[in-house]
Amino acid sequence: MRDEPRMVVAGATDVYVALNFGTLAPKRFLDIWAIDELRGISLSGDTLVIGALATYTDLIRSQHVVKRLPMLVEASQLVGGIQIQNRGTVGGNIANASPAGDSLPVLAAVDAVIVIRSAEGERRVPITEFYTGYRATVMRPNELIVAVEVGPVEGKQWFRKIGTRAAQAISKIVVAGVRASAPKIAFGSVAPTVVRVPETEKALAGGASIDEAALVLAREIAPIDDLRSSAEYRLQVSVNLLRRFWAETG
Ligand SMILES: Cc1cc2nc3c(=O)[nH]c(=O)nc-3n(C[C@H](O)[C@H](O)[C@H](O)COP(=O)(O)OP(=O)(O)OC[C@H]3O[C@@H](n4cnc5c(N)ncnc54)[C@H](O)[C@@H]3O)c2cc1C
């Protein structure tokens, strides 16, 4: 028991659900909520630095995020309800590693970098390399996420979440895109982890029509059936969302 690693608790909005359902194995916890140093949102040169403990409410209210990453504000406004937005943190969303996490496609579409720290030092991992499988990450038990860094984003940002209803719903599909000469597009809930769609991005960057790109996307992703949605529905909606992204950002 003494050697058992402690589970980090930030806003506890995911941890508490698991605790309540009796599905949580850890019995020792490390509450980091009071570490204000992990809460700030600032600019460091050209880089937007979001502390791991920044809540959705903090993101919505931050002028830096409003100016630099408006699609993260949009995503945050659609997370849970006000109570969850006040407690849920971006670090918790990243570490929880759900393929349906709403901030994840936004962060993946802008090549965000996760800053991880332990007593041994700090390392930076691009979000596209952070997830190794379903609910699995490169994090070691002695590491904390301390921040997420986002460089300047060129191009029009676009975000959509499809759920059973507008609020308090887990995403069936979530997508974020940046319309630039090299478009960047990331999907949540269509694979075991958040995914970029490099073949589709390449087709669009190379001048393919949206019809051609839609065919590429349909080959590139292979969503699954689960209790929230069918694979067929997810595939069709993903293609529809790609078309809408292109139409609305053109
Ligand atoms: C009613 C309800 C509605 C919700 N709606 C949504 C929604 O619409 N969209 C969505 O994406 N999510 C939703 N969630 C899930 C949850 O609110 C988010 O994932 C939130 O961002 C989790 O943050 P937290 O600080 O509460 O994490 P916690 O519950 O404290 O922790 C979650 C996991 O991350 C780890 N962790 C937390 N912080 C760190 C850190 N800094 N370093 C390392 N590990 C860490 C914990 O050990 C734990 O494994 C909802 C949850 C509830 C209960």
Side-chain angles (χ1 to χ4, degrees):
M1 175 84 171
R2 267 200 169 289
D3 297 335
E4 191 195 322
R6 287 174 188 261
M7 182 183 208
V8 170
V9 180
T13 60
D14 278 316
V15 170
Y16 201 75
V17 171
L19 200 61
N20 223 17
F21 274 107
T23 54
L24 203 65
K27 297 205 166 39
R28 282 157 60 89
F29 300 92
L30 180 68
D31 180 358
I32 62 168
W33 183 255
I35 309 177
D36 283 340
E37 291 81 351
L38 301 187
R39 193 158 271 127
I41 301 174
S42 59
L43 285 183
S44 171
D46 238 359
T47 303
L48 174 65
V49 183
I50 303 172
L53 284 181
T55 63
Y56 298 104
T57 301
D58 294 332
L59 296 170
I60 292 165
R61 291 182 181 165
S62 161
Q63 282 313 302
H64 293 311
V65 181
V66 169
K67 280 199 196 101
R68 308 261 307 217
L69 206 49
M71 65 178 167
L72 185 56
V73 172
E74 231 178 298
S76 302
Q77 285 166 335
L78 294 174
V79 168
I82 300 293
Q83 299 91 331
I84 297 295
Q85 291 170 12
N86 284 341
R87 281 296 295 197
T89 65
V90 69
N93 205 226
I94 295 166
N96 194 51
S98 160
D102 284 332
S103 73
L104 307 183
V106 170
L107 298 174
V110 296
D111 294 306
V113 172
I114 315 298
V115 186
I116 303 170
R117 203 179 291 161
S118 72
E120 279 110 61
E122 191 169 277
R123 58 188 182 123
R124 286 177 158 67
V125 181
I127 190 164
T128 45
E129 294 167 23
F130 184 77
Y131 298 106
T132 54
Y134 180 68
R135 308 295 298 255
T137 76
V138 298
M139 295 252 294
R140 301 173 194 128
N142 65 341
E143 288 181 319
L144 263 188
I145 296 175
V146 292
V148 50
E149 296 179 339
V150 179
V153 180
E154 304 287 337
K156 200 163 180 182
Q157 301 176 23
W158 193 87
F159 174 86
R160 273 301 181 288
K161 166 177 174 169
I162 305 292
T164 309
R165 53 190 180 182
Q168 299 280 23
I170 296 175
S171 295
K172 291 172 189 277
I173 310 275
V174 52
V175 59
V178 179
R179 177 80 179 257
S181 52
K184 296 175 177 187
I185 306 160
F187 282 90
S189 285
V190 302
T193 68
V194 62
V195 286
R196 285 279 290 271
V197 284
E199 295 301 323
T200 307
E201 292 176 1
K202 211 186 313 166
L204 289 168
S209 70
I210 190 62
D211 289 338
E212 289 163 334
L215 290 174
V216 176
L217 179 68
R219 283 196 301 271
E220 191 168 22
I221 57 171
I224 56 156
D225 286 309
D226 67 12
L227 78 168
R228 279 197 287 279
S229 200
S230 69
E232 195 187 346
Y233 173 86
R234 284 195 164 108
L235 188 60
Q236 185 58 55
V237 173
S238 301
V239 168
N240 294 350
L241 287 171
L242 178 74
R243 289 178 180 281
R244 198 170 290 180
F245 160 60
W246 209 242
E248 292 181 9
T249 55

